[in-house]
Amino acid sequence: MNRVWNFSAGPAALPPAVLERAQRELLDWNGSGASVMEQSHRGKRFIAMAEQAEADLRALMDIPADYAVLFLQGGATQHFAQIPMNLAGPGDSADYIVSGHWSAKAVSEAGPYLHVNVAASSVADDYLMLPARDNWQLDPNAAYVHYTPNETIHGVEFHEVPEVGAVPLVADLSSNILSEPLDVNRFGLIYAGAQKNIGPSGLVVMIIRRDLLQRAGRPMAKIFRYAEHAAAGSMLNTPNTWGWYLSGLTFQWLLGQGGLEAMAKLNHAKADALYQAIDGSGGYYRNPIDLAARSRMNVRFELHDTALDAAFLQETEAAGLLALKGHKALGGMRASLYNAVPLAAVEALVEFMRDFARRHG
């Protein structure tokens, strides 16, 4: 079996050590004689695993006791709608910061449930930079402020947590959660689709300040209410047991790597190496993003001649460098450098890029 260097934007690379352990335990998990996918989610073994996964995530992120941790089914897009349902009542408004595709989609999905105030947007700049903080038009009476710290498609990232006063800050951290230390106290609610830095698709991890669970929201079925999921320990209905298990293994792997400080150092090294190769190519490759907004997780780049794109992608795949094609809306290339992508993968990509430029210059 030949493993490739996987630069997929999501579902993305998982740590080989996590996959190997899951492989070993697939038929006989925890001495049970059955896989984790065949276990009752209300059985002692699974509950112990779930509690350990939450404890490990709390240790990694230093999550305070006044925050609940939820392991929910679905994807982050579902919560673009579910968050306003839970945090805002009829007639309420919320502020949204639009910095790319996913924050714009969050606006469209929230629209049926509350008044959306687009407090700032960089759409006029083609999302090549972040909305200047001095220009944000925030409402002190907003139910919350929503932003996307890292835009997977457009390749921009907030490198500081914005100050928004007393209004709860809500963050879609799908593509950069666990990539560096984060002060959870700065947020009212954090949510993340698992399929980039946590585990397989089909699971959402949510960290929510407990007082926000008490908001009346609007009339809705119990299955949509976060307070009900918190009260049931994320087992209001049958959870994604496989996703929860693999995420727990990833948390253990991260702790074994030295935690989020070690991951931050590694992630900066990976991004720096790739951006240096792009910037140092004499214009053969280019990254269009404002320097202050460049993403560490999703690095966009373009070749100087788009006629070479097909050859570049064909040759990278042949060289074992997977999923470098940019999003269809933007074209070009994109390398996603999530936690499970090692520095060796970036070094292999950089060497390929230099060789390709020599051969096709």
Side-chain angles (χ1 to χ4, degrees), residues 14 18 49 53 56-57 60 71 178 194 197-200 203 205 240-254:
L14 287 167
V18 167
M49 182 281 297
D56 289 341
L57 180 61
L60 280 167
F71 293 83
L178 301 176
N197 262 338
I198 298 176
L203 180 77
V205 173
N240 180 343
T241 56
W242 175 246
W244 201 335
Y245 158 74
L246 275 178
S247 297
L249 296 187
T250 300
F251 301 153
Q252 292 178 21
W253 176 80
L254 286 167

Side-chain angles (χ1 to χ4, degrees), residues 179-180 253-254 257 259-273 296-297 337-347:
S179 65
E180 62 182 352
W253 176 80
L254 286 167
Q257 301 304 301
L260 301 192
E261 290 187 1
M263 296 313 300
K265 183 177 180 181
L266 175 60
N267 287 326
H268 279 287
K270 292 185 297 186
D272 288 348
R296 298 164 302 126
M297 296 286 98
L337 311 181
Y338 302 128
N339 284 342
V341 177
L343 182 59
V346 178
E347 292 171 340

Side-chain angles (χ1 to χ4, degrees), residues 266-284:
L266 175 60
N267 287 326
H268 279 287
K270 292 185 297 186
D272 288 348
L274 184 49
Y275 281 121
Q276 287 171 14
I278 294 167
D279 295 341
S281 68
Y284 198 92

